[in-house]
Amino acid sequence: MEDIYIKVLVKTLEWATLRIQRGQKEQAALPSQSANGIIEKDDGSMQEEIGELRRSHPKNLAGGDFTLCDAFYFCKKGIENIVEDQVTQRFTSEELASWNLLTRTNNNFCYISLRLTIIWGLGVFIRYCILLPLRITLAVIGLSWLVIGTILVGLLPSSNVKNWLSDLVHITCYRICARGLSATIRYHNKENRPKKGGICVANHTSPIDIVILANDGCYAMVGQVHGGLMGVLQRSIVRSCPHVWFERSEMKDRHAVAKRLKDHIADKTKLPILIFPEGTCINNTSVMMFKKGSFEIGGTIYPVAIKYDPQFGDAFWNSAKYNMVSYLLRMMTSWAIVCNVWYLPPMTRQDGEDAVQFANRVKSAIAHQGGLVDLSWDGGLKREKVKESLKEEQQKMYSSMIIGSDFNEASVGPA
């Protein structure tokens, strides 16, 4: 039934796209935005781009003198990043190439025809008056059964039967919740699914990432203790499954957090820990810096790449713009949530590799598999200023071109 629904949606959106393209030829079209952003940027390195400016002697960069034209490179980069930097655009919804008949739409859309407007109005009626009540009902059923089921299972003594029932309750309830989002999920390479005693790391787009992954297996969650409805869920599910919840005061103690995680993965009978190392939601166009803490505690890492199809609905949670209730309402009034999940081969820390290098290797593998841009920037820049160390890296890179690497290393001193 889901496949039929998705096929009908695809045909409808294809027709709408063709109709929009035809309408834009008949009237003055608005200037279109580049698929990669407002402006086109050069992908070359600092040395390559400055070399183009120094046309008279581009080969004399390693130990060359400063030339005034170098300043144009930094002015150009500065203006580019003021207009559109690599980081800020990752915290806003991805711009679609064509309208998907949702209220939140392509910025370039304008009125095309009465027929298309009628189709959009019919879509609003279907999404808000038919699908939304059904989806809310399914979500309430799924969450209610999750609370009741885990409390009842938690009353049983520890045994294999209790573990089996706990897994059954979790998977069943999460699948009901996924139906409440009309989620269509395709899992690839299931032979690489995370195993007990391991750590599952994935790119993070939305709170529903947990629901997407838990449809195909059970995980031990890691997070801070909350109040309200979230607190009720946390207290109920921890009765039947050893999730790792921290008090606010504990979250600031890295050693306490690391110790509890190490103790968990040391027990090979416990479920794999699910962690999102980016620490914040990214708009599913890229993968940003992984925090090294998850890669310092040892154990086997099971990378997972999650890629949503924005054509049917925007899964990205912009927490600065929408609260949780508003976000869930947007999800439940979308056409559907369609995504692909790839289980990558397990990875372990290599000899001579530190936690940061290991984290970057895992991040690159996830980005490559999911077709995402691999960025080295910290997702914490969503709320914080750029660290001084990052500025110093650019300064050292330029000084090595001007003065020479030997002088730069001598001035920095031994590590």
Side-chain angles (χ1 to χ4, degrees):
M1 189 66 182
E2 287 182 358
D3 291 338
I4 296 175
Y5 174 65
I6 296 298
K7 288 179 181 178
V8 172
L9 276 179
V10 170
K11 293 294 183 182
T12 304
L13 296 177
E14 286 177 350
W15 173 85
T17 300
L18 292 174
R19 189 67 189 85
I20 291 172
Q21 292 173 348
R22 189 188 312 163
Q24 288 177 337
K25 292 178 181 178
E26 298 171 356
Q27 55 182 269
L30 293 177
S32 60
Q33 178 174 313
S34 170
N36 297 322
I38 299 173
I39 55 179
E40 293 184 4
K41 298 183 180 181
D42 296 327
D43 294 329
S45 65
M46 178 188 293
Q47 185 169 345
E48 291 172 346
E49 293 191 38
I50 291 181
E52 291 180 4
L53 292 172
R54 297 180 171 190
R55 296 184 185 279
S56 58
H57 48 281
K59 296 182 180 179
N60 190 27
L61 284 179
D65 297 327
F66 168 79
T67 58
L68 187 60
C69 66
D70 293 354
F72 290 109
Y73 166 80
F74 295 103
C75 290
K76 173 175 175 286
K77 287 298 180 182
I79 294 173
E80 283 181 351
N81 288 308
I82 289 173
V83 175
E84 183 182 51
D85 64 90
Q86 281 188 319
V87 178
T88 306
Q89 60 180 304
R90 309 301 171 180
F91 304 130
T92 57
S93 296
E94 180 181 1
E95 177 71 5
L96 299 179
S98 182
W99 190 34
N100 61 358
L101 298 178
L102 292 174
T103 306
R104 42 206 173 273
T105 181
N106 180 282
N107 290 336
N108 298 319
F109 173 75
C110 57
Y111 175 79
I112 298 296
S113 69
L114 178 61
R115 186 185 305 175
L116 192 62
T117 303
I118 292 174
I119 293 296
W120 172 79
L122 180 61
V124 171
F125 174 79
I126 292 173
R127 290 186 290 111
Y128 282 86
C129 300
I130 298 176
L131 295 180
L132 179 59
L134 292 174
R135 290 170 174 173
I136 291 177
T137 301
L138 287 172
V140 170
I141 292 173
L143 293 177
S144 300
W145 285 11
L146 180 63
V147 172
I148 296 172
T150 50
I151 289 176
L152 293 176
V153 172
L155 299 175
L156 300 175
S158 297
S159 64
N160 291 332
V161 174
K162 178 180 179 179
N163 294 335
W164 178 79
L165 287 174
S166 176
D167 292 351
L168 180 63
V169 168
H170 278 83
I171 290 180
T172 302
C173 294
Y174 281 124
R175 286 179 177 175
I176 294 174
C177 291
R179 298 298 178 270
L181 297 169
S182 296
T184 299
I185 313 166
R186 298 180 181 89
Y187 298 96
H188 307 274
N189 307 325
K190 288 192 175 185
E191 67 276 8
N192 295 325
R193 279 188 294 190
K195 295 179 173 57
K196 292 183 176 180
I199 302 173
C200 174
V201 299
N203 56 302
H204 197 24
T205 304
S206 159
I208 66 173
D209 292 340
I210 297 172
V211 177
I212 298 299
L213 294 177
N215 264 252
D216 194 45
C218 292
Y219 298 89
M221 310 297 176
V222 178
Q224 182 179 307
V225 174
H226 292 277
L229 177 59
M230 183 64 70
V232 173
L233 289 173
Q234 287 182 321
R235 289 190 295 272
S236 62
I237 63 178
V238 80
R239 292 172 180 268
S240 64
C241 179
H243 298 283
V244 186
W245 305 130
F246 296 96
E247 296 291 344
R248 183 182 295 273
S249 58
E250 290 182 290
M251 290 296 289
K252 297 179 181 179
D253 188 346
R254 291 185 58 190
H255 296 290
V257 173
K259 184 179 185 306
R260 288 191 61 183
L261 295 179
K262 284 181 180 179
D263 293 341
H264 184 99
I265 64 173
D267 189 345
K268 300 305 179 183
T269 63
K270 291 185 177 181
L271 295 174
I273 295 175
L274 176 58
I275 297 177
F276 300 105
E278 288 169 298
T280 190
C281 293
I282 312 299
N283 69 357
N284 209 223
T285 61
S286 63
V287 183
M288 302 190 77
M289 187 183 79
F290 279 5
K291 303 293 191 298
K292 66 178 182 178
S294 309
F295 303 87
E296 289 178 323
I297 60 179
T300 302
I301 299 293
Y302 293 89
V304 176
I306 306 173
K307 178 60 179 175
Y308 293 91
D309 189 341
Q311 180 182 13
F312 304 99
D314 181 18
F316 169 60
W317 181 32
N318 187 348
S319 57
K321 189 174 182 181
Y322 302 103
N323 58 33
M324 180 61 74
V325 175
S326 299
Y327 169 75
L328 292 177
L329 179 63
R330 287 166 58 86
M331 291 298 94
M332 290 184 176
T333 54
S334 297
W335 292 116
I337 298 299
V338 179
C339 72
N340 286 278
V341 176
W342 289 273
Y343 297 110
L344 280 67
M347 302 173 70
T348 54
R349 194 164 160 180
Q350 298 175 347
D351 293 338
E353 187 177 45
D354 61 27
V356 174
Q357 293 171 333
F358 185 27
N360 289 334
R361 183 160 60 92
V362 174
K363 177 171 67 75
S364 297
I366 291 175
H368 176 74
Q369 180 62 75
L372 306 169
V373 179
D374 185 3
L375 296 177
S376 59
W377 293 102
D378 186 355
L381 292 173
K382 187 177 186 178
R383 301 177 182 88
E384 301 172 359
K385 294 183 178 180
V386 178
K387 296 179 181 178
E388 290 297 324
S389 59
L390 296 176
K391 298 179 183 178
E392 290 175 0
E393 284 183 12
Q394 298 296 314
Q395 295 169 353
K396 290 177 182 177
M397 189 185 304
Y398 181 66
S399 66
S400 66
M401 293 168 50
I402 302 303
I403 303 174
S405 59
D406 293 338
F407 178 88
N408 188 53
E409 290 174 0
S411 64
V412 174

